[in-house]
């Protein structure tokens, strides 16, 4: 893990993350994510940087570290806790190991569409999940962002029905619900951190993986994967998070700037996801992938019912119902 964490880069100053700019202290925030500099995460964070620097009158300076330069998502979350990273943009994928309650949003086929997900996450349910993150891990969710609806890719055969997944080694995130879902659909789920994925696909360590279209395009998976099926089996939210103690160390005006910039940049990032999702399929076909755009989803939904049975008690059926019934 690269050493980092709030050191002053503009003034060459103190090791505690501050320096002097006029009368005001400048604070450098290092933010990490695992995707490339062509990704929706990077676009969103570029907007976040602009907004935050403007809203804080230059007191905050943001440095963005793409490509897993500060580690995989799990590693970076641990980095927040030990103070080696300031902010992390991560999907909910690694949350099984931190706050399992948050992974209720990872249940398969839970959200009808992105608008449904935004309504849930930006409302009371999303705030309650952030409260759990704070209580359990001392981490503060600044805003919900988006990774997108995940789809399955592989190198062996087109996936038209769950049976086609049988025996395929599919890389999943280190997420219990993701793994259980692929198991019940007949695949052999293989959890792995994202930075290891491209070489694993290239070397045939796994047959396939699953990710939103903007990840598949921006990470050039078309170079190492032949088939894509638009299963949209999990909606995958992202969160921009910071440690609670770091957040609390800032004066109120800077806390407000952080929260506002995170929300506004997140709204923008969701638009980028929608655009990349729509335009990405044509690009992937052009790059030689065989794309099943409208598979019959019903058998996939049926196949994952045991996952709901397994987790309904843990999450509470009431919570699951209130997510489903959010209009
Ligand atoms: O597959 C993953 O690990 C996630 O989708 C990613 C790419 C890290 C984005 O959060």
């Amino acid at each position: 893990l690269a050493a980092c964490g709030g050191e002053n880069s503009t003034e060459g100053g103190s090791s505690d993350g501050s320096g002097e700019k006029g009368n005001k202290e400048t604070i450098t925030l290092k933010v990490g994510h695992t995707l490339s500099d062509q990704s929706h995460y990077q676009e969103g964070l570029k907007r976040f940087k602009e907004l935050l620097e403007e809203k804080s009158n230059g007191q905050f300076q943001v440095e963005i570290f793409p490509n897993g330069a500060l580690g995989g998502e799990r590693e970076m979350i641990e980095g927040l806790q030990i103070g080696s990273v300031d902010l992390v943009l991560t999907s909910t994928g690694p949350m099984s190991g931190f706050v399992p309650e948050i992974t209720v949003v990872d249940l398969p086929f839970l959200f009808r569409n992105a608008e449904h997900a935004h309504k849930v996450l930006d409302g009371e349910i999303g705030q309650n999940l952030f409260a759990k993150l704070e209580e359990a891990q001392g981490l503060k969710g600044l805003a919900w962002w988006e990774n997108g609806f995940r789809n399955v890719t592989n190198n062996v055969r087109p996936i038209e029905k769950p049976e086609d997944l049988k025996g395929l080694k599919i890389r999943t995130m280190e997420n219990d619900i993701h793994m259980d879902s692929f198991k019940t659909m007949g695949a052999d789920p293989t959890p792995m951190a994202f930075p290891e994925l491209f070489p694993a696909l290239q070397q045939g360590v796994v047959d396939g993986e699953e990710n939103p279209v903007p990840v598949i395009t921006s990470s050039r998976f078309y170079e190492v994967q032949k088939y894509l099926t638009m299963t949209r089996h999990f909606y995958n939210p992202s969160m921009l998070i910071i440690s609670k103690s770091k957040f609390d160390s800032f004066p109120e005006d800077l806390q407000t700037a952080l929260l506002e910039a995170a929300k506004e940049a997140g709204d923008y990032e969701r638009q980028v996801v929608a655009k990349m999702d729509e335009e990405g399929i044509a690009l992937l076909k052009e790059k030689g992938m065989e794309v099943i755009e409208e598979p019959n989803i019903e058998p996939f939904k049926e196949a994952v019912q045991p996952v709901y049975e397994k987790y309904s008690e843990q999450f509470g059926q009431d919570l699951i119902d209130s997510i489903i019934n959010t209009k």
Side-chain angles (χ1 to χ4, degrees):
L1 196 71
C4 79
E7 99 217 20
N8 172 10
S9 64
T10 48
E11 315 292 323
S14 66
S15 60
D16 69 351
S18 61
E20 291 298 315
K21 186 169 183 170
N23 288 333
K24 297 274 191 182
E25 177 186 58
T26 62
I27 304 159
T28 301
L29 294 177
K30 300 201 174 190
V31 48
H33 71 95
T34 43
L35 286 171
S36 83
D37 58 7
Q38 303 297 309
S39 64
H40 45 304
Y41 280 11
Q42 181 77 7
E43 282 307 306
L45 287 173
K46 282 189 335 208
R47 178 63 63 94
F48 173 71
K49 174 180 164 64
E50 270 167 33
L51 287 167
L52 185 62
E53 292 179 357
E54 187 188 303
K55 284 177 191 287
S56 67
N57 296 320
Q59 264 189 276
F60 278 129
Q61 296 293 311
V62 178
E63 283 183 16
I64 306 169
F65 291 79
N67 290 311
L70 304 181
E73 291 186 335
R74 181 170 46 75
E75 216 176 341
M76 284 192 289
I77 296 167
E78 288 161 1
L80 286 176
Q81 295 173 318
I82 57 172
S84 61
V85 187
D86 300 314
L87 283 155
V88 175
L89 179 57
T90 174
S91 77
T92 48
M95 279 296 133
S96 286
F98 293 93
V99 191
E101 291 97 321
I102 290 191
T103 62
V104 64
V105 296
D106 296 324
L107 283 167
F109 302 108
L110 179 67
F111 294 104
R112 294 181 295 279
N113 49 39
E115 292 68 41
H116 178 201
H118 300 167
K119 198 90 187 268
V120 170
L121 295 166
D122 297 342
E124 201 183 327
I125 295 174
Q127 282 313 309
N128 290 343
L129 296 176
F130 274 164
K132 293 200 158 92
L133 181 66
E134 205 167 303
E135 277 158 37
Q137 296 289 339
L139 298 173
K140 184 168 179 64
L142 293 176
W144 289 99
W145 289 27
E146 179 159 87
N147 192 26
F149 280 96
R150 302 179 77 92
N151 308 290
V152 68
T153 70
N154 84 101
N155 251 343
V156 178
R157 54 182 166 255
I159 307 296
E160 290 176 50
K161 49 191 184 311
E163 292 72 36
D164 295 330
L165 285 164
K166 207 171 163 60
L168 294 189
K169 252 186 138 156
I170 303 290
R171 175 271 178 177
T172 65
M173 297 192 74
E174 298 161 287
N175 177 293
D176 295 339
I177 293 183
H178 286 192
M179 287 188 273
D180 282 336
S181 302
F182 273 85
K183 216 176 284 159
T184 63
M185 288 193 281
D188 177 7
T190 309
M192 191 183 286
F194 189 75
E196 294 161 38
L197 179 54
F198 191 94
L201 291 169
Q202 197 166 35
Q203 291 155 23
V205 176
V206 288
D207 299 310
E209 61 86 54
E210 44 85 52
N211 252 305
V213 166
V215 176
I216 301 169
T217 52
S218 62
S219 301
R220 306 172 74 93
F221 286 165
Y222 50 80
E223 290 178 0
V224 287
Q225 292 282 270
K226 177 77 188 149
Y227 304 104
L228 163 65
T229 304
M230 298 295 293
T231 39
R232 297 170 74 82
H233 49 272
F234 306 126
Y235 173 78
N236 198 202
S238 305
M239 311 171 290
L240 186 61
I241 54 181
I242 185 168
S243 85
K244 171 94 171 87
S245 57
K246 174 137 260 171
F247 183 81
D248 288 345
S249 74
F250 300 132
E252 210 179 308
D253 59 330
L254 292 186
Q255 292 182 352
T256 305
L258 266 168
L259 288 165
E260 283 180 5
K263 173 77 182 106
E264 286 170 37
D267 290 346
Y268 169 73
E269 188 260 1
R270 285 171 171 173
Q271 290 170 26
V272 175
V273 171
K275 188 164 186 287
M276 286 178 77
D277 207 43
E278 200 186 310
E279 294 172 356
I281 297 177
L283 174 81
L284 293 173
K285 284 185 184 165
E286 207 181 287
K287 297 287 184 186
M289 283 190 93
E290 215 173 275
V291 185
I292 298 179
E293 287 185 59
E294 289 185 12
N296 178 9
I297 288 304
E298 290 313 315
F300 291 93
K301 283 189 175 167
E302 273 166 40
V304 296
Q305 277 319 300
V307 178
Y308 277 83
E309 282 148 34
K310 178 170 174 185
Y311 287 95
S312 64
E313 203 177 320
Q314 182 184 331
F315 295 133
Q317 190 58 44
D318 285 356
L319 174 59
I320 297 174
D321 287 344
S322 60
I323 293 177
I324 293 171
N325 294 329
T326 299
K327 295 277 180 291

